[in-house]
Amino acid sequence: MTDTPVCVLGLGLIGGSLMRAAQAAGRDVFGYNRSLDGVAAARLDGFDATATLDQALARAAESDAVIVLAVPMPALPVMLEHIRRVAPDCALTDVTSVKGAVLREVEAHGLRSRFVGGHPMTGTAHSGWAAGSQELFAGTAWVVSVDDDVDALVFADVMNLALDCRAFVVPARSDEHDAAAAAISHLPHLLAEALAVTAGDVPLAFALAAGSFRDGTRVAATAPELVRAMCEANSEELLATLDRTLGLLTQARNHLAAHTSVADLVDAGHAARIRYDSFSRPDILHVTVGAENWREELAAAGRAGGVIRSALPVRGNRG
Amino acid sequence: MTDTPVCVLGLGLIGGSLMRAAQAAGRDVFGYNRSLDGVAAARLDGFDATATLDQALARAAESDAVIVLAVPMPALPVMLEHIRRVAPDCALTDVTSVKGAVLREVEAHGLRSRFVGGHPMTGTAHSGWAAGSQELFAGTAWVVSVDDDVDALVFADVMNLALDCRAFVVPARSDEHDAAAAAISHLPHLLAEALAVTAGDVPLAFALAAGSFRDGTRVAATAPELVRAMCEANSEELLATLDRTLGLLTQARNHLAAHTSVADLVDAGHAARIRYDSFSRPDILHVTVGAENWREELAAAGRAGGVIRSALPVRGNRG
């Protein structure tokens, strides 16, 4: 349990849900939103929201709140500029789907020592305050960064926030997170788009489309701006996984052209999916945040499928 | 309504479900299965099954049953050999996912005049008698072939069987079916396999995998033999759609490498998926099976999304 107040910047689907979930957990929560509509909607639901950024940040600085960046990537530099000026000592996290690019922005603004990145792996096809729910994070994964230099107390603040929102925490390095996100989220989006376009040009295809096509193209219904933003923000990692997939598909293509078997790809794909189905999620229990090698131990545990379901003990290492 | 008995060859997922559904509709149904285990399981559930092929076929010939080929492609030649010898005058259909290859086998055995191909667009990840259900076809598409030379009465037999199983019928030419099936079924399988393999090699990927990955790889859990069989049997059409997808993905790859936008693919994919979501399925009502140009009219209606939900009138043309 912790009493750290929470300052949420951006009250869209994720920020708005986080505000609700943290308040439901008994936290003191307040937030900022750029549009007055969003502020009015949050207030109407009984939440403490303002459209004046520096006012929210001044309060965060006074109350030693943890600040959550819940704005889209393009809005990040402006937020960080204000934070550096008004609340540079607050613990800082984010909820963005690409961690490397955020880390570079945070570093460029001199705030890296107080920052621990986060990525709640949840969402819906809708957006905005109204789409939010205090249940959005319940039972879902929330990645919390364990890069080489993260501060133990800030990590603990972010871990506790995620647990208060009823998520479980997956500790991961930012670079590994981005490589994994490319493979399990950004690549599937590109494959879904390509499948939809290909089938859309074949007469009778939509008339026959069933489960394989519906599942394979479901994420193509996501707003194109969001898909572009996440793919382009993670272009380097996405490029590597896309090239791997192109290699596999080109081999299969050559087998089909030569009337030889596509067994290599099909057997390997089946085996990988079966491994995924039996992937286990053991609880991480025996790591003390801030103890020697705690970051490496958490990264290794997360890589192996481990998750934090209740708060780990913390040994402070703050300045 | 029709009283034509049904002889099902092969009591796996599809054949076994068809047997249950046709019997539930009041049909006289009997079947053959190669393995004694399958026969015993069907009998235990109260169905009329034998492991002696010629016995089932002799009964089909006597009762003028419609014979359903529900065996895997490799078993087709042996079945057709027996049918030519024992029950050459029975109406004949199949439930195979590739129509051109089946048509060529049937023709090679001199049975084309009594054959109308079928393809129920349904399934589960499981197989065998035990996986079957009389509900498997309810509310799903069942393609029935309208190639240039199909017999109106055989077409009517197959249409009525599909409707009795509570499917709706999509009339389609075999060649158009195979091109569409490549795009909406075989290609999604290959993409799912490639995605599973790619992600399987990335540390942390399974730990973070959520909806996009699960949906995108769901069909990779299908038995590899089935995936190979359908892809390899439809290699020509699959090659064409796979090349189109490889072209789209390679363009996106080049944009990522050049740090330019992937908007072309993402916008087109989103537009295609949205078109699919609003694709309408009007009832085909005003065609008489066996009337002038009935095959061309049904093929055009099916291509436009039309489906047969209740039996069309039939004008007999049986020799």
Side-chain angles (χ1 to χ4, degrees):
Chain A
M1 279 301 296
T2 167
D3 294 309
T4 312
V6 184
C7 171
V8 185
L9 306 185
L11 303 177
L13 172 70
I14 301 291
S17 297
L18 197 155
M19 183 172 235
R20 292 174 176 92
Q23 184 154 305
R27 295 287 193 102
D28 179 24
V29 187
F30 52 97
Y32 153 83
N33 196 65
R34 192 182 55 164
S35 92
L36 291 170
D37 283 358
V39 169
R43 285 186 181 165
L44 204 64
D45 287 342
F47 291 88
D48 189 344
T50 174
T52 307
L53 178 55
D54 284 352
Q55 182 183 320
L57 291 177
R59 184 167 161 195
E62 276 159 36
S63 61
D64 206 16
V66 53
I67 298 173
V68 182
L69 295 157
V71 294
M73 277 290 291
L76 223 53
V78 172
M79 295 295 123
L80 292 169
E81 195 56 48
H82 281 257
I83 293 169
R84 175 165 59 178
R85 206 160 28 77
V86 182
D89 295 326
C90 283
L92 183 64
T93 188
D94 77 317
V95 295
T96 314
S97 65
V98 178
K99 305 262 59 67
V102 173
L103 202 57
R104 285 189 291 276
E105 277 301 334
V106 169
E107 179 141 41
H109 288 80
L111 291 164
R112 181 150 175 175
S113 70
R114 302 299 296 147
F115 178 75
V116 171
H119 179 207
M121 310 281 294
T122 183
T124 75
H126 305 285
S127 58
W129 171 268
S133 152
Q134 74 173 55
E135 298 297 321
L136 189 69
F137 311 100
T140 69
W142 189 317
V143 177
V144 180
S145 297
V146 282
D147 295 315
D148 290 338
D149 45 5
V150 298
D151 180 272
L153 292 181
V154 178
F155 179 90
D157 270 338
V158 180
M159 169 185 71
N160 287 325
L161 177 61
L163 294 174
D164 272 359
C165 292
R166 299 171 50 219
F168 55 85
V169 170
V170 178
R173 293 178 55 90
S174 291
D175 52 357
E176 292 187 22
H177 167 278
D178 287 354
I184 59 95
S185 172
H186 309 153
L187 177 61
H189 274 87
L190 291 187
L191 297 182
E193 310 286 10
L195 175 57
V197 173
T198 300
D201 289 344
V202 176
L204 197 73
F206 285 175
L208 299 193
S212 311
F213 177 78
R214 269 201 307 275
D215 286 350
T217 59
R218 187 185 58 83
V219 293
T222 311
E225 315 80 70
L226 294 181
V227 178
R228 282 184 50 188
M230 66 190 189
C231 288
E232 292 168 10
N234 198 24
S235 58
E236 203 169 314
E237 299 290 358
L238 179 52
L239 188 59
T241 59
L242 180 52
D243 277 344
R244 170 83 168 121
T245 286
L246 282 169
L248 293 166
L249 291 174
T250 301
Q251 275 179 1
R253 182 239 170 262
N254 293 340
H255 281 299
L256 289 170
H259 295 283
T260 51
S261 171
V262 292
D264 287 355
L265 175 60
V266 173
D267 290 348
H270 182 257
R273 169 71 201 200
I274 297 303
R275 266 196 295 130
Y276 167 70
D277 283 335
S278 62
F279 190 72
S280 70
R281 319 238 48 172
D283 284 6
I284 300 174
L285 298 169
H286 302 296
V287 179
T288 298
V289 176
E292 204 181 349
N293 292 326
W294 68 278
R295 302 180 191 88
E296 294 76 7
E297 282 181 28
L298 285 181
R303 214 177 283 130
V307 299
I308 302 169
R309 293 185 195 273
S310 56
L312 297 175
V314 182
R315 182 179 305 167
N317 68 347
R318 186 164 176 178
Chain B
M1 280 300 296
T2 166
D3 294 307
T4 312
V6 183
C7 171
V8 185
L9 305 184
L11 303 177
L13 172 69
I14 300 291
S17 297
L18 197 156
M19 184 173 234
R20 293 174 175 92
Q23 183 155 308
R27 296 286 192 103
D28 179 24
V29 187
F30 52 97
Y32 153 84
N33 196 64
R34 192 182 56 163
S35 93
L36 291 171
D37 284 356
V39 170
R43 284 187 181 164
L44 205 63
D45 287 341
F47 291 89
D48 189 344
T50 173
T52 308
L53 178 56
D54 284 353
Q55 183 184 318
L57 291 176
R59 182 166 161 197
E62 277 159 35
S63 60
D64 205 17
V66 54
I67 298 173
V68 182
L69 294 157
V71 295
M73 277 291 290
L76 223 53
V78 172
M79 294 296 123
L80 293 169
E81 194 57 47
H82 282 257
I83 291 168
R84 174 164 59 176
R85 207 163 24 79
V86 182
D89 294 326
C90 284
L92 184 62
T93 187
D94 76 317
V95 294
T96 313
S97 66
V98 179
K99 305 265 55 69
V102 173
L103 202 58
R104 285 189 290 275
E105 277 300 335
V106 168
E107 180 140 40
H109 287 81
L111 290 164
R112 180 149 174 175
S113 69
R114 302 298 295 147
F115 177 75
V116 171
H119 179 207
M121 309 282 294
T122 183
T124 76
H126 305 285
S127 58
W129 171 268
S133 152
Q134 73 173 56
E135 300 296 322
L136 189 68
F137 310 100
T140 70
W142 189 316
V143 177
V144 180
S145 296
V146 283
D147 294 315
D148 290 338
D149 46 5
V150 298
D151 180 272
L153 291 182
V154 178
F155 179 90
D157 270 339
V158 180
M159 169 185 71
N160 287 323
L161 178 61
L163 294 173
D164 272 359
C165 292
R166 298 171 50 217
F168 55 85
V169 170
V170 178
R173 294 178 54 89
S174 292
D175 52 358
E176 292 186 23
H177 167 277
D178 286 355
I184 59 95
S185 172
H186 309 153
L187 176 60
H189 274 87
L190 290 188
L191 297 181
E193 311 287 9
L195 174 57
V197 173
T198 300
D201 289 345
V202 176
L204 198 73
F206 286 175
L208 299 193
S212 311
F213 177 78
R214 269 201 308 275
D215 286 351
T217 59
R218 187 186 58 85
V219 294
T222 311
E225 316 79 72
L226 294 182
V227 178
R228 281 184 52 188
M230 66 191 189
C231 289
E232 293 168 9
N234 198 25
S235 57
E236 204 171 312
E237 299 289 359
L238 179 52
L239 189 58
T241 58
L242 179 52
D243 277 345
R244 170 83 168 120
T245 286
L246 282 168
L248 293 166
L249 291 174
T250 301
Q251 274 179 1
R253 181 239 170 264
N254 292 340
H255 281 298
L256 289 171
H259 295 283
T260 49
S261 170
V262 293
D264 287 355
L265 175 60
V266 173
D267 290 347
H270 181 258
R273 170 70 201 201
I274 298 303
R275 265 195 297 129
Y276 168 69
D277 283 335
S278 62
F279 189 71
S280 71
R281 318 237 46 173
D283 284 7
I284 300 173
L285 297 169
H286 303 295
V287 179
T288 298
V289 176
E292 204 182 349
N293 292 326
W294 69 278
R295 303 178 190 89
E296 293 76 7
E297 282 181 26
L298 285 181
R303 213 177 284 129
V307 300
I308 302 169
R309 293 186 193 272
S310 56
L312 296 175
V314 181
R315 184 178 304 165
N317 68 346
R318 187 167 176 177

